[in-house]
Amino acid sequence: MTGGIGRRRLLTAAALGGGALTVGGWAMASGSLTPGQPGLLLRSQAPLPPPYAVPLPVPSVLAPVRSDGTTDVYEITQRTARLRILPGLDTTAWTYGGTFPGPTLVSRSGRRTVVRHRNELPHPTVVHLHGGHTPYGSDGYPTALILPRGGTASGAGGMAAMPGMAGMPGLDRTAGSQDGAAVLRTYTYPMEQRAATLWYHDHRMGFTGPNVWHGLAGFHLVHDDEEEALPLPSGDRDIPLMITDRSFAADGSFRYPALDAAQHTPGVSARYMDGVLGDVILVNGAPWPVLPTRRLRYRLRLLNASNARRYRLALDPPPPGGGGLVQIGGDGGLLRTPLAHDTLDIAPAERFDVIVDFSRYRPGTRVRLVNQLGSGSTAAVMRFDVSTGRPPADDSRIPARLSAIPTPRPDRATAVRTFHFQRRAGSTGWTINGRPYEPGRPLATVRLGTTEVWRFVTDFHHPVHLHLDHFRVTARNGRSPGPYDAGWKDTVDLRPAESVEIVTHFTDYPGRYMLHCHNLEHEDMAMMADFVTE
């Protein structure tokens, strides 16, 4: 069945049908023409601060409330908080534990992590551990709600508010609802996976976009023996960087073009159906911050937590000889060998783990991290100020070999499946294989212990995310994988009129899982699908 995979690769432009028009590498859908980007810019009404005026915050590491020989237990309360993001203005954020980003969780591979989430927000939520190899009951299925205090599944924006959702065919309460929810939900993560940079975020059906935009996102790091045996930068030189874009109203509140701020009707106004782009770049919740560095190697865990914006990251100035962003890992952990980049294209939900050697710069150099796909305020990301003093001897290095990665073999695949990601004809919504999302109706049933090849074909920019298991990219447009496709991934960026083939081995956990676009406006407007493992 799989021997002819190479002969059957899709000619993407012919396969797209009624999708977006591509012109000179620009994508046009619903009247939006944006170079290198999906979506439409939503301008702030508040005055924007100058860049490089605030220090980079680093999210605090959450301590467990209880630990035993096998398990660490954490508690997080989801609540509103008044944060000072822009100077002189307070922003009401929806937060994990009162901060944006939320606190960082740190787990050990093979050691169970239990997280109890309590919802004190005014609306239901769902938590997904993005990149987690997780049993179905803790994966964050989009209708597995955590209700607000005093809420019920039939009120407070719960289940009964969801039929007739824009772009949705309606909610089947029998197939779609998973577990009666309360104000407290416990998520259990076995952590039977390798070291990696994961993140957790809201995943509520129809409202993931506004919930994440308002602050519901945080890091979850996993460590293991293999990674810790390597002489990589550690301690205060191992820094997670959550990159997001946001827009602000005149009073400092987050500005977002929701159809219904009360969260009874999901989605955004039609102009923003391609995606919402902000004009303020935040790193760890701060606008265009600064990090003082010594002339040593630093490990930067780059996460694009934006709703829709793609970035092309580069160092300005580049170090002598180039190749200043040395990739050592991706979504699913360490690469086999390092890859040196001058630029990194990073789509929503992707992670790139890179080493930057600041000893390659002269003392006192100010090094900007820039976004080559941005303009004006969105062209800058943050700055590193290299110290003038003599640094201590660097105790780190970048090994030539990082990890032994077993790779599933496409020639042993038991099935080849194709998924088309397209705009829904005649509507403000999105589809997979021509269907808007309907909970409980799977597009694929997969046998655990088997390997499959999946093809993703797009009409527009779509970062495609697969739950449960990581995958390897085997081809892009019928040719070799792209420069940013290395290693294990859980999200892959597809440009307009493009196809990607992935191979994955499905393991461990039976249940109903998700395949969806991680442009959160697309996701909220029905570009999701279930698959079932058994």
Side-chain angles (χ1 to χ4, degrees), residues 440 442-447 510-513 530-534:
L443 292 191
T445 299
V446 176
R447 290 185 61 83
R512 190 163 65 241
Y513 290 92
D530 287 359
F531 69 94
V532 172
T533 56
E534 58 184 24

Side-chain angles (χ1 to χ4, degrees), residues 90 107 162 174 177 185 244 308 354 371 376 407 450 525 531:
D90 286 337
S107 294
M162 300 175 85
T174 301
S177 60
R185 181 179 282 274
T244 61
V354 303
N371 171 28
T407 302
T450 63
M525 301 178 79
F531 69 94

